[in-house]
Amino acid sequence: MTPFNEMMAGDDDARPPYEKYYDWFSAQDPKRLAAKSRDAEKIFRRTGITFAVYGAKEAAERLIPFDIIPRIISAKEWRRLEQGIEQRVVALNAFLDDIYHKQEIVKAGRMPRDLIAKNEAFLPQMIGVRPPGNVYTHIIGIDIVRTGEDQFYVLEDNARTPSGVSYMLENRETMMQMFPELFSKNRVRPVENYPALLRKSLSAAAPQGCNGTPTVAVLTPGIYNSAYYEHAFLADQMGVELVEGSDLRVVDGRVAMRTTQGYKAIDVLYRRVDDDYLDPLTFKPDSALGVPGIMDVYRAGRITIANAPGTGIADDKAIYSYMPEIVEFYTGRKPILENVPTWRCSEADSLAYVLDNLEDLVVKEVHGSGGYGMLVGPTSTKKERAEFAKKLAARPGNYIAQPTLSLSTVPIFVKKGIAPRHVDLRPFVLVSDKINIIPGGLTRVALKEGSLVVNSSQGGGTKDTWVLED
């Protein structure tokens, strides 16, 4: 089956969202475009847009490949995506509130109790705790794939600490710098106001009783974290302090950061530190990345932690398999955006099916991310499948499996012109007193021919994502 080509409807016939771009592209000198592509790489290298690869033998810091052909989404397509994303975000927040309080979804028999109680991402310390404004997921990334003209699926939810928004912003800035004429020909919705929207959304989630303008800070694990560039970038763009655990302490019942004028209380902490390292008095006692006592301040309602501790359970891929039930249970409606069909390997019948069909399936760890710990059956060897089958049989509850979808393609710029490559999309959502979905998001592209793995850590790149206005 030929994958759906998002740009072309035929050999020389562009789909409506791409018509103006394709006319422009067809009139360009390939040598000029090749020079622009090299210029883009220089911009990214000069700006320092890199990511770390853990365990790599080569240099730990890598440049994220950027492709100069944008991914374009029509206003009509985006409206449908927006509706589905908002419905899903509302359901996720309601689910998190429920499982840390009454657990009505379990009582109703719509989800197994053990899936929550025995889940390593479930935090018993959050039982009975309500975050300020009752918001658990302040920043969410919903990964979406496309298989046809009107066929979109949610691949996974990123409710813990979704990354990649800095690349979305840099991609747009680079495109506007190199091809300003394109933005006069195409009415593209802006994404560059994201930092201002993020700060506004975080401020709106401040605890009750916060006087004046809330003090916001970004908590980073430090320079050796794979997403440190993004932490520093967002703090700088928002005009707030970037802090590490050693910069913070509890003073008079508030979390405060060290400044040249002494310690200053923080109202909202956008943390990019995992739950386990957040508070050595509550979680890992040897953590040097967090703040001793921060959970006591949080439970007292005197600081907002974004995203709330315990949201990681919504990232769990076994929980993901129940998202149709979760959406319907909390919204009263069927999901607008469907899940990819999923086999839970913890169930004996599903495990037997998966083991018999490994060559056709994608198998993922329930807590995995970044493309690690997964098997892509159609591109794997017989030996790789045999080794993976042993891991699967030993810990079936640690895996889910999905069919190998025929992901849509978008052209990338290559020496010979253009070539189709598979893509996904991560729109970013801000939640406080309202839900704000950024028009577009991060398009990740598998740069290797035929590859379905788009993660930058696995050789993928990124594109600018355009959402057109009507």
Side-chain angles (χ1 to χ4, degrees):
M1 180 180 174
T2 303
F4 175 68
N5 188 321
E6 294 191 22
M7 184 162 93
M8 304 302 295
D11 289 342
D12 292 305
D13 190 16
R15 290 181 59 249
Y18 279 89
E19 285 173 348
K20 290 182 180 178
Y21 176 82
Y22 186 67
D23 288 346
W24 172 90
F25 181 86
S26 301
Q28 298 304 301
D29 178 358
K31 290 182 180 179
R32 174 181 181 257
L33 293 178
K36 289 286 188 180
S37 186
R38 291 191 295 270
D39 289 345
E41 182 177 332
K42 291 175 186 174
I43 291 171
F44 275 60
R45 203 173 289 282
R46 188 168 63 243
T47 311
I49 307 172
T50 61
F51 66 99
V53 180
Y54 299 128
K57 292 179 182 177
E58 57 268 40
E61 290 292 324
R62 289 187 193 168
L63 192 71
I64 293 185
F66 170 69
D67 183 67
I68 61 172
I69 299 179
R71 198 247 190 103
I72 307 177
I73 300 170
S74 71
K76 181 182 176 183
E77 290 167 341
W78 183 249
R79 275 193 293 272
R80 185 186 162 211
L81 287 176
E82 268 189 322
Q83 291 170 355
I85 292 166
E86 180 165 350
Q87 180 194 44
R88 198 169 180 100
V89 168
V90 167
L92 280 169
N93 201 66
F95 168 69
L96 288 163
D97 184 69
D98 184 29
I99 64 169
Y100 287 115
H101 291 86
K102 296 181 180 180
Q103 297 199 350
E104 298 287 359
I105 196 167
V106 173
K107 294 173 185 175
R110 303 292 291 273
M111 181 175 288
R113 185 177 300 276
D114 282 357
L115 189 59
I116 294 171
K118 294 184 178 180
N119 196 305
E120 64 183 59
F122 179 72
L123 285 192
Q125 297 89 343
M126 281 295 291
I127 293 174
V129 179
R130 270 216 166 80
N134 205 29
V135 177
Y136 287 80
T137 51
H138 304 80
I139 303 103
I140 307 176
I142 306 289
D143 288 356
I144 295 172
V145 293
R146 186 175 193 175
T147 59
E149 186 77 45
D150 296 307
Q151 294 172 306
F152 294 92
Y153 294 94
V154 175
L155 189 62
E156 61 184 56
D157 304 290
N158 297 275
R160 192 184 334 227
T161 50
S163 61
V165 76
S166 58
Y167 309 127
M168 173 190 80
L169 295 169
E170 292 288 8
N171 290 349
R172 175 60 55 85
E173 185 173 338
T174 300
M175 285 294 285
M176 293 181 79
Q177 184 177 331
M178 293 196 306
F179 304 110
E181 70 276 19
L182 280 174
F183 292 89
S184 60
K185 296 176 185 290
N186 297 271
R187 298 175 65 206
V188 182
R189 292 183 61 183
V191 297
E192 52 270 27
N193 57 346
Y194 176 86
L197 292 173
L198 175 60
R199 177 158 188 178
K200 186 177 180 181
S201 187
L202 289 172
S203 296
Q208 281 189 331
C210 175
N211 297 318
T213 303
T215 299
V216 178
V218 177
L219 175 63
T220 178
I223 60 172
Y224 297 108
N225 183 266
S226 63
Y228 179 76
Y229 168 81
E230 178 160 297
H231 308 165
F233 176 89
L234 287 175
D236 179 61
Q237 292 290 306
M238 285 194 288
V240 304
E241 293 296 328
L242 179 69
V243 297
E244 296 183 31
S246 57
D247 299 318
L248 307 177
R249 65 191 299 182
V250 175
V251 179
D252 297 329
R254 302 282 303 280
V255 175
M257 60 182 170
R258 184 169 49 215
T259 72
T260 53
Q261 283 84 40
Y263 278 88
K264 179 181 180 181
I266 294 171
D267 299 298
V268 182
L269 190 63
Y270 177 20
R271 55 89 179 222
R272 299 297 291 263
V273 170
D274 290 344
D275 288 347
D276 283 350
Y277 300 93
L278 200 51
D279 185 342
L281 300 183
T282 303
F283 306 116
K284 280 185 179 288
D286 59 346
S287 171
L289 301 178
V291 188
I294 189 173
M295 284 301 292
D296 288 335
V297 179
Y298 183 65
R299 280 187 283 259
R302 306 194 73 185
I303 190 171
T304 294
I305 299 175
N307 288 346
T311 54
I313 192 168
D315 290 6
D316 181 284
K317 292 176 179 63
I319 296 288
Y320 160 91
S321 71
Y322 282 92
M323 277 305 294
E325 290 91 339
I326 289 171
V327 169
E328 190 171 2
F329 187 80
Y330 296 108
T331 70
R333 295 179 60 202
K334 296 283 187 184
I336 296 169
L337 290 176
E338 294 181 41
N339 267 23
V340 177
T342 302
W343 289 272
R344 305 173 191 122
C345 297
S346 57
E347 299 171 2
D349 289 349
S350 293
L351 176 62
Y353 176 84
V354 171
L355 288 170
D356 286 343
N357 294 275
L358 278 178
E359 67 275 12
D360 298 321
L361 301 173
V362 176
V363 189
K364 304 176 183 178
E365 291 183 341
V366 294
H367 295 296
S369 63
Y372 295 105
M374 66 187 286
L375 176 81
V376 181
T379 60
S380 65
T381 64
K382 191 172 182 180
K383 181 182 178 184
E384 287 170 340
R385 291 195 295 274
E387 290 174 353
F388 204 92
K390 292 178 184 176
K391 293 195 291 184
L392 193 50
R395 293 188 64 198
N398 196 44
Y399 297 93
I400 57 97
Q402 296 171 331
T404 308
L405 297 180
S406 180
L407 301 186
S408 64
T409 65
V410 170
I412 64 167
F413 185 73
V414 293
K415 288 181 180 178
K416 295 180 180 179
I418 59 175
R421 294 292 186 269
H422 296 294
V423 288
D424 77 355
L425 177 66
R426 177 175 291 178
F428 294 95
V429 189
L430 301 176
V431 186
S432 54
D433 53 341
K434 61 181 179 180
I435 294 174
N436 199 335
I437 303 169
I438 309 307
L442 179 67
T443 287
R444 300 181 300 177
V445 55
L447 296 175
K448 297 174 185 174
E449 186 176 359
S451 174
L452 296 171
V453 182
V454 299
N455 306 80
S456 53
S457 54
Q458 306 292 311
T462 65
K463 286 175 168 287
D464 190 16
T465 309
W466 294 4
V467 172
L468 301 180
E469 295 184 2
D470 282 316

